[in-house]
Every structure is written in structure tokens, then in C-alpha cells.
């Protein structure tokens, strides 16, 4: 399901414009954690008309064409808002967690304050970053 293009951009096969699969996932993850995940996936969906989405590894993924830039996932006591090229993102609020080669995530918990402006900025930056990578190679 994953492939790299000639520029080394990881791509997901079969992204679609909007998905009943994603909507079904959101319904299955109702409740407080699901509502948080839905809120932040909606921010990703609104990044641009070119945003596509799919369910990959059991979680909603937002793509520009076939190039993924963000995802949400629900766990027992928190959700992750994740970024496929998170190491390339400016993070002055130091929200990003993780130690992988490229990916980073922000962990959100109910009842804990979220720096919404900074998280929105990370989502916008992730979309802009993947758009530049796709357009400029």
C-alpha cells in the first residue's frame, strides 16, 4: 500500500476525495476521544480542495494526492494527531513527540488544555510542506 516516488516521497495508493470509510470510523469512535479526533481531522480536511483521505493501519489519514501529511488515531486514554514528515515541521511550542526518522505526533488527552493555535499551525505547516515536496520534488 506504500510506495516511494522518484523524489522519495512516501505515497499511499488509493486515496479518495472523502470517505464514507472515514465517516464510519468516526462513528465507531464516538465519545470524548472520538470527538477530539474528529475535530482535528476536520482541520486536516479543510487544508485545501486537493486533500484526499483514506483509512490506513486502522486510522484516518489525510493526503495531498497520494502523499500523506497527517493522521489521527484514538487510543485508550488519548488521541494522537500525527504528521508523516513531522521532523521537518517548525514546532516552537514543542508539541511534537516521537523519535522516528520522519514521523512525529501530538498526544491529546480529555480534560487537558490543548494549544489549539499551535496544533493548527502544525497541521497547516504539514500540508504546506507536503505540497511543496509534491510540487517541487
Amino acid at each position: 500500500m506504500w510506495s516511494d516516488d522518484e523524489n522519495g516521497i512516501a505515497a499511499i495508493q488509493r486515496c479518495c476525495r472523502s470517505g464514507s470509510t472515514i465517516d464510519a470510523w468516526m462513528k465507531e469512535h464516538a465519545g470524548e476521544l472520538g470527538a477530539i479526533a474528529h475535530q482535528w481531522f476536520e482541520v486536516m480536511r479543510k487544508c485545501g480542495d486537493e486533500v484526499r483521505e483514506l483509512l490506513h493501519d486502522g486510522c484516518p489519514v489525510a493526503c495531498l494526492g497520494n502523499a500523506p501529511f497527517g493522521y489521527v488515531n484514538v487510543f485508550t486514554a488519548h488521541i494522537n494527531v500525527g504528521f508523516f514528515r513531522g521532523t521537518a515541521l517548525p514546532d516552537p511550542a514543542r508539541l511534537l513527540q516521537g523519535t522516528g526518522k520522519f514521523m512525529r505526533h501530538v498526544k491529546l488527552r480529555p480534560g487537558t488544555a490543548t494549544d489549539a493555535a499551535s496544533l493548527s499551525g502544525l497541521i497547516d505547516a504539514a500540508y504546506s510542506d507536503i505540497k511543496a515536496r509534491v510540487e517541487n520534488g
Side-chain angles (χ1 to χ4, degrees):
M1 187 140 167
W2 287 97
S3 66
D4 285 341
D5 70 6
E6 65 277 3
N7 298 313
I9 298 173
I12 298 178
Q13 308 302 317
R14 298 183 302 256
C15 282
C16 59
R17 174 63 187 109
S18 67
S20 58
T21 305
I22 302 296
D23 295 335
W25 186 94
M26 293 294 175
K27 287 179 184 172
E28 288 174 20
H29 294 84
E32 197 170 21
L33 292 169
I36 296 168
H38 187 260
Q39 171 191 349
W40 290 106
F41 197 73
E42 283 301 314
V43 174
M44 292 179 196
R45 280 178 163 167
K46 293 177 182 173
C47 282
D49 292 336
E50 315 91 352
V51 173
R52 304 292 183 256
E53 58 193 47
L54 81 158
L55 201 63
H56 179 70
D57 285 344
C59 63
V61 175
C63 306
L64 175 66
N66 287 337
F69 68 91
Y71 69 91
V72 297
N73 204 0
V74 173
F75 296 90
T76 304
H78 71 278
I79 75 139
N80 281 353
V81 177
F83 304 98
F84 288 86
R85 289 286 188 159
T87 57
L89 302 178
D91 183 25
R94 302 182 146 230
L95 298 178
L96 293 172
Q97 299 178 26
T99 59
K101 186 173 180 181
F102 298 110
M103 295 180 74
R104 294 289 183 271
H105 64 274
V106 176
K107 196 174 285 191
L108 303 176
R109 290 182 173 83
T112 302
T114 300
D115 184 344
S118 294
L119 183 50
S120 291
L122 284 169
I123 292 170
D124 291 341
Y127 174 76
S128 295
D129 176 71
I130 202 64
K131 188 169 188 167
R133 290 175 190 276
V134 167
E135 292 175 355
N136 302 322

